[in-house]
Amino acid sequence: QQQVKQSPQSLIVQKGGISIINCAYENTAFDYFPWYQQFPGKGPALLIAIRPDVSEKKEGRFTISFNKSAKQFSLHIMDSQPGDSATYFCAASIDQAGTALIFGKGTTLSVSS
Amino acid sequence: EAEVAQSPRYKITEKSQAVAFWCDPISGHATLYWYRQILGQGPELLVQFQDESVVDDSQLPKDRFSAERLKGVDSTLKIQPAELGDSAMYLCASSLWGGQSVNEQFFGPGTRLTVL
C-alpha cells in the first residue's frame, strides 16, 4: 500500500527528444506527487509537483501528467538537453505538513548530444 | 537562497566505530527529516522531527541509531556501532509547518558514509 513503482530504471534519449518517466502508486490517500532531480554526489532537488485536482502541470520543459483513476503519474521532459542527465525520483505522500515522502527507485536519464 | 546544510559531506569509518552527522535546516522550517539512500535506490525515511519532538522513528534501527534535535533547530544523527550495511547517503530535509505547499521538502547535499 505504501509503494511507489517507477519505470524505466534507465533511459537514454537523444538531445532534443522527449524523456518520459512513469510512476504508479497504491495508496489512494496519497494526494501530493513531487518529482525530484538528483545529480551525482548531490541531494535531491524538487523539480515539479502536482496535486490530484489537476491532470497536468507544466513548468518550462517539464510536465507532469496525472491519472487518478489509474493511480499513475508521469514526468515528460521536452527538448531534452545534456544538462538534464541526472537521476529522477518520483514520490508520493499525503498532502499535509510533516508527512514523509515515499520515493520510487529512480530513473537514470542520459541525454546524448 | 536558503539551503539545508549538512556535514561532513563524506565519512569513511571502520566497522564498529561511532559516526555522527549534522544537519542545519532552512531557517524557520519546523519539520526535519533524516532519510537514508542506498546506492541505486530512492531515499527512505529514518526519523522525523516536529520542532524538538520525534514524530516518526518507526524505521530507525534504534539498537544502533539515535537522533536528536535538542533546541528544535539543528539535528544530529548518530550510528554506534557502524556496520558494513550502513554504507549509504544520509540525507537531511526540512519543510515548513503549514502554508500552501504544506509538504514541500528541501534536501541538503547529504553525507556519504562508507563503512570498511
Side-chain angles (χ1 to χ4, degrees):
Chain A
Q1 272 267 320
Q2 287 291 90
Q3 281 188 326
V4 175
K5 295 182 179 178
Q6 184 172 347
S7 64
Q9 185 175 349
S10 62
L11 183 61
I12 300 174
V13 172
Q14 295 269 17
K15 179 182 175 181
I18 302 173
S19 304
I20 301 174
I21 305 170
N22 301 299
C23 282
Y25 63 98
E26 299 174 356
N27 189 340
T28 55
F30 288 157
D31 56 358
Y32 174 66
F33 305 93
W35 285 89
Y36 281 82
Q37 179 189 56
Q38 186 175 30
F39 292 103
K42 305 291 186 182
L46 180 63
L47 194 59
I48 186 172
I50 196 168
R51 291 171 176 82
D53 53 339
V54 296
S55 60
E56 186 175 282
K57 183 175 181 180
K58 183 177 181 180
E59 290 185 3
R61 296 185 294 109
F62 300 91
T63 299
I64 300 179
S65 298
F66 183 79
N67 185 330
K68 188 174 181 178
S69 60
K71 292 188 288 185
Q72 294 176 347
F73 58 109
S74 60
L75 176 69
H76 292 62
I77 306 174
M78 313 300 288
D79 187 26
S80 298
Q81 299 296 313
D84 296 331
S85 298
T87 300
Y88 293 81
F89 293 94
C90 63
S93 77
I94 296 169
D95 190 18
Q96 66 183 41
T99 306
L101 293 170
I102 307 299
F103 283 85
K105 291 186 181 294
T107 297
T108 301
L109 170 65
S110 295
V111 181
S112 61
S113 54
Chain B
E1 183 177 298
E3 294 180 341
V4 176
Q6 288 188 250
S7 66
R9 293 293 310 280
Y10 305 93
K11 180 69 178 179
I12 300 174
T13 190
E14 292 188 344
K15 189 175 62 171
S16 79
Q17 296 298 304
V19 292
F21 314 132
W22 177 80
C23 171
D24 191 12
I26 293 172
S27 178
H29 281 196
T31 309
L32 185 147
Y33 313 79
W34 284 101
Y35 289 85
R36 178 169 60 184
Q37 184 178 22
I38 295 169
L39 194 63
Q41 303 283 322
E44 294 183 335
L45 182 73
L46 287 174
V47 62
Q48 177 184 334
F49 290 89
Q50 181 62 32
D51 298 313
E52 67 276 7
S53 301
V54 173
V55 173
D56 182 359
D57 64 356
S58 59
Q59 300 304 309
L60 189 71
K62 298 181 192 62
D63 57 335
R64 298 184 301 106
F65 286 64
S66 64
E68 60 183 18
R69 193 184 184 198
L70 293 176
K71 296 183 179 179
V73 182
D74 58 339
S75 175
T76 301
L77 178 69
K78 297 179 182 177
I79 308 175
Q80 182 174 19
E83 295 181 354
L84 295 177
D86 296 332
S87 294
M89 175 82 90
Y90 290 82
L91 293 162
C92 179
S94 69
S95 66
L96 278 171
W97 181 265
Q100 276 194 327
S101 299
V102 291
N103 205 26
E104 192 168 344
Q105 298 183 22
F106 298 87
F107 284 80
T111 296
R112 168 71 66 187
L113 173 66
T114 302
V115 182
L116 303 175

